[in-house]
């Protein structure tokens, strides 16, 4: 029987690429997100080996109920990709919008925790599984005006490390992927739909793509059972850190 994966935030960018890559590798994929039309389109593309769940990871009760609602033959989840996340705003911390803070903290940290709590106990009970959390180079060191977003991704690293420690006595593996500059809808969302400002983020450099991160994900997932890829930092060639980017 095919293995089953669940990918949060599968309606665009890294999440969508991860869903496609897992499907190509022979997995059945539970795709989750808030955008019904995008989920349905991806379901149509992937066929019967995709199962859409429409919910917002920020809502713990609905997230738990959605996972619990899976048909019996979809409930044995082998891979959890905690991808749902976002950045909002690029303001000085003392001038930031508290609504943006709430959304980032509730999505990037609490949403990841809710999904981990809903899925990982089953992995432990079955004695197999792999959790892949999508962090960021921003979690290694803060950059100008990144304050709260960087803080949420630093939290993702600490939470991922803690989960790996808690699962060390089990066969369940835990991987943290830390992408650098990836050209997705990330910057458009950060700037509240300002496409021109978002495009400037990627000028003068060949950024990563969602597919690049999906390739790193599948490498970790398909490693031999005794190999745990704990952490991967993935940068564009002309990016040295979250704040050092050489533009041509």
């Amino acid at each position: 029987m095919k293995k089953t994966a669940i990918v949060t935030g599968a309606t665009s960018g890294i999440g969508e690429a991860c869903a496609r890559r897992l499907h190509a590798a022979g997995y059945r994929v539970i795709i989750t997100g808030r955008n019904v039309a995008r989920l349905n389109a991806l379901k149509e593309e992937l066929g019967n080996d995709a199962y859409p769940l429409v919910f917002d990871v920020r809502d713990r009760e609905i997230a738990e109920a959605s996972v619990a609602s899976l048909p019996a033959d979809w409930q044995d989840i082998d891979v959890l990709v905690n991808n749902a996340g976002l950045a909002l705003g690029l303001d000085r911390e003392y001038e930031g919008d508290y609504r943006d803070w709430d959304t980032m903290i509730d999505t990037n940290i609490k949403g990841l925790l809710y999904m981990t709590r809903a899925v990982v106990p089953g992995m432990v009970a079955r004695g197999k599984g792999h959790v892949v959390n999508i962090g960021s180079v921003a979690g290694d060191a803060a950059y100008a005006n990144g304050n709260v977003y960087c803080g949420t991704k630093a939290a993702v690293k600490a939470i991922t490390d803690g989960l790996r420690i808690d699962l060390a006595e089990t066969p369940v593996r835990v991987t943290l992927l830390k992408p650098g500059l990836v050209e997705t809808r990330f910057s458009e969302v950060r700037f509240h739909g300002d496409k021109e400002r978002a495009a400037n983020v990627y000028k003068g450099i060949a950024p990563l793509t969602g597919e690049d991160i999906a390739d790193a994900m599948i490498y970790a997932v398909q490693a031999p059972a005794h190999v745990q890829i704990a952490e991967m930092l993935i940068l564009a060639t002309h990016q040295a850190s979250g704040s050092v980017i050489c533009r041509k």
Side-chain angles (χ1 to χ4, degrees), residues 95-188:
E95 297 175 332
D97 187 328
Y98 66 86
R99 292 166 297 186
D100 288 349
W101 298 350
D102 286 346
T103 300
M104 287 186 282
I105 291 167
D106 289 347
T107 306
N108 300 357
I109 301 176
K110 293 166 72 175
L112 179 145
L113 286 169
Y114 297 156
M115 291 302 297
T116 300
R117 185 67 180 83
V119 174
V120 172
M123 293 180 172
V124 173
R126 293 187 296 274
K128 61 177 182 176
H130 198 139
V131 179
V132 180
N133 288 339
I134 306 299
S136 171
V137 63
D140 286 345
Y143 55 75
N145 301 330
N147 42 77
V148 174
Y149 173 69
C150 293
T152 65
K153 289 303 184 177
V156 168
K157 173 172 170 51
I159 289 166
T160 305
D161 289 346
L163 180 64
R164 191 181 304 109
I165 292 166
D166 292 341
L167 290 171
E169 63 184 9
T170 80
V172 180
R173 300 182 293 180
V174 181
T175 297
L176 175 65
L177 299 183
K178 302 187 300 184
L181 211 58
V182 184
E183 188 168 13
T184 61
R185 294 185 62 248
F186 176 87
S187 291
E188 186 178 334

